Structures are given as C-alpha cells and as structure tokens.
C-alpha cells in the first residue's frame, strides 16, 4: 500500500468519514518513532484493505493538536490511532506499536 501523508484538518476530516482507518503520528526526529514507523510500514505493506494515513508531527502540529483535542486522545509520538465509525477505537504509542499490535487493533 502507498503511504498517504496528511497535513490538514480537511484531509483528516475526509478520512474520519470512512468506516474505519488507521492513523500514525510520526516524529521525524525520534528514533523510537522511526522504529514504530517501520512497524507501521511493514503492517500496511501487506494490506490493501486497510485505509490508513500518517502525519509528521513537526510538519502538522495544528492537525496533531486538533486530533488530540477533538477526540480526547492524549498526544504522543509515535502514536497509532484506529478510528471506527468516526471515533477512536484503539490507540497506543512508542514501543507498543508493532505489526502484531496493529493486526490485533484493526482485526486483520
């Protein structure tokens, strides 16, 4: 699957209309985030049926803050958030973002 990067509230709001999607919040300067991003990429590489996108926190701080405030999900990076029916159904961060944890969260 192709990586989709989002940077605006408008892009995010289009995604949240989907039945479900996986969002990854990535820090461009954090080695833990780099490892988690690799796990995220490994997970999505094998799946064409999972709608997903990521944001780079340093480049999209207003969007990252908007998501945290709107959905009452404490901001962390790296962070993976699985949205179902327009609401966060699962989220986790740091070393807990693995291919297995993403599979378990999304149910794929």
């Amino acid at each position: 699957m192709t990586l989709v990067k989002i940077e605006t509230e408008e892009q995010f709001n289009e995604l949240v209309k989907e039945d479900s999607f996986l969002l990854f919040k990535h820090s461009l300067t954090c080695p833990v985030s780099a490892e988690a991003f690799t796990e995220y990429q490994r997970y999505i590489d094998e799946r064409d049926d999972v709608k997903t996108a990521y944001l780079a926190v340093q480049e999209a701080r207003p969007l990252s803050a908007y998501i945290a405030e709107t959905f009452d999900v404490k901001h962390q990076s790296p962070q993976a958030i699985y949205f179902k029916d327009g609401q966060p159904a699962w989220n986790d961060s740091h070393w807990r973002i693995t291919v297995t944890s993403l599979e378990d969260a999304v149910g794929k």
Side-chain angles (χ1 to χ4, degrees), residues 39-58:
E39 291 289 304
Y40 164 72
Q41 287 178 292
R42 285 181 48 221
Y43 173 74
I44 67 169
D45 279 349
E46 300 299 318
R47 290 157 185 86
D48 289 331
D49 59 335
V50 177
K51 187 79 172 176
T52 185
Y54 79 98
L55 66 85
V57 174
Q58 290 88 338

Side-chain angles (χ1 to χ4, degrees), residues 57-88:
V57 174
Q58 290 88 338
E59 298 171 353
R61 283 194 195 282
L63 174 58
S64 182
Y66 169 78
I67 294 165
E69 292 168 12
T70 302
F71 295 97
D72 197 28
V73 175
K74 180 182 175 189
H75 165 75
Q76 299 185 65
S77 62
Q79 184 175 39
I81 308 171
Y82 180 61
F83 288 84
K84 181 92 173 144
D85 300 322
Q87 294 297 315

Side-chain angles (χ1 to χ4, degrees), residues 4 14-15 20 24 26 39 51 54 58 62 65 67 71 76 78 80-81 92-93 97 100 106:
V4 176
E14 284 301 309
L15 283 170
S20 63
F24 185 83
H26 180 41
E39 291 289 304
K51 187 79 172 176
Y54 79 98
Q58 290 88 338
I67 294 165
F71 295 97
Q76 299 185 65
I81 308 171
D92 219 330
S93 67
I97 299 171
T100 301
V106 177

